[in-house]
Amino acid sequence: MTWTDIVTWIGTGITIISMIVTMLQAREAKSAAAHAEQMRGEISDRNAHSQLSSLSGVLSAAIRAMDKYGPGTGSTARRGCSPRSDAAHVRALTGEMKRLRKLLSERFGSEADDLINRINDLLVQFAEASSTADRDKFGCDIYNELVEFNGNIGNELDGNIFG
C-alpha cells in the first residue's frame, strides 16, 4: 500500500464520521425545531387567552352597565342612571372587540363581526330612542347580546384552561 492509498482511506473514514455527525446534528435540529414550534404555539395560546381574559373584564363592565335594562328589571332600577355612561361602557367593549378582531375571528368565526355590528346598531337605536320605553327595549336587547357573548367567551376561556 502506498502513502496515497493510506491518505485515501483516512479521508474516506473522516468523511464517513463527518456524515454520521451531520446526520445526528440534523436529527437534533429537527427535534429542536419541532419543540420550538410547539413552544410558539403554546405562547400564542397563552397570549390569546390573556387577551380574551382582558376582553372578558371589559365585557363584564358593559354587562354591569346594561344590567339595569335587562329582563325583569323595572324603571326603578334605572333611577339616577346615565344612559350615556351605560352606552360608553358598551362602546369601550366594541372598541376592544375591534382591536381584537383577528383573534375573535379565529376563535368565533364571522359571528364576532356580526356581533359587533349588531351591538353598534343597537347602540345607535339606544341613543336615538324617542321614549324611555324604546330605550329600555334597546338596552334589554344590548344586555341580552352581551350576556350571550359572555357565555361564549367563558366557554372559550374554560376550554383553554381545562382542555
Side-chain angles (χ1 to χ4, degrees):
M1 241 198 325
T2 64
W3 68 273
T4 56
D5 291 339
I6 295 173
V7 171
T8 300
W9 282 106
I10 291 174
T12 303
I14 291 174
T15 302
I16 291 172
I17 291 171
S18 297
M19 182 182 70
I20 292 170
V21 169
T22 301
M23 287 175 28
L24 291 174
Q25 287 178 339
R27 186 172 55 167
E28 186 177 319
K30 184 178 179 181
S31 173
H35 184 68
E37 183 65 28
Q38 177 187 4
M39 294 303 290
R40 187 177 71 81
E42 288 179 17
I43 290 169
S44 177
D45 284 346
R46 286 183 187 208
N47 185 38
H49 184 268
S50 174
Q51 289 177 334
L52 286 176
S53 294
S54 173
L55 180 64
S56 181
V58 177
L59 178 58
S60 293
I63 289 173
R64 281 192 305 274
M66 298 307 287
D67 186 38
K68 58 188 83 64
Y69 302 98
T73 58
S75 60
T76 57
R78 291 179 287 284
R79 226 178 254 151
C81 73
S82 168
R84 284 181 182 224
S85 174
D86 299 336
H89 286 285
V90 178
R91 278 193 305 275
L93 170 67
T94 57
E96 186 70 7
M97 288 174 71
K98 285 179 182 178
R99 187 180 75 77
L100 298 174
R101 180 171 277 160
K102 182 179 177 189
L103 172 65
L104 292 174
S105 293
E106 289 172 1
R107 300 295 170 128
F108 301 106
S110 64
E111 293 177 30
D113 284 334
D114 295 342
L115 177 65
I116 293 169
N117 292 334
R118 279 194 313 269
I119 291 174
N120 283 333
D121 291 344
L122 287 169
L123 272 174
V124 168
Q125 293 171 331
F126 180 80
E128 295 175 349
S130 58
S131 70
T132 306
D134 287 342
R135 179 175 288 126
D136 293 348
K137 179 199 172 301
F138 294 125
C140 184
D141 292 344
I142 292 170
Y143 173 79
N144 290 332
E145 292 286 346
L146 297 178
V147 168
E148 182 179 345
F149 184 59
N150 190 44
N152 293 338
I153 289 281
N155 287 341
E156 185 69 25
L157 290 173
D158 290 347
N160 285 340
I161 292 171
F162 301 116

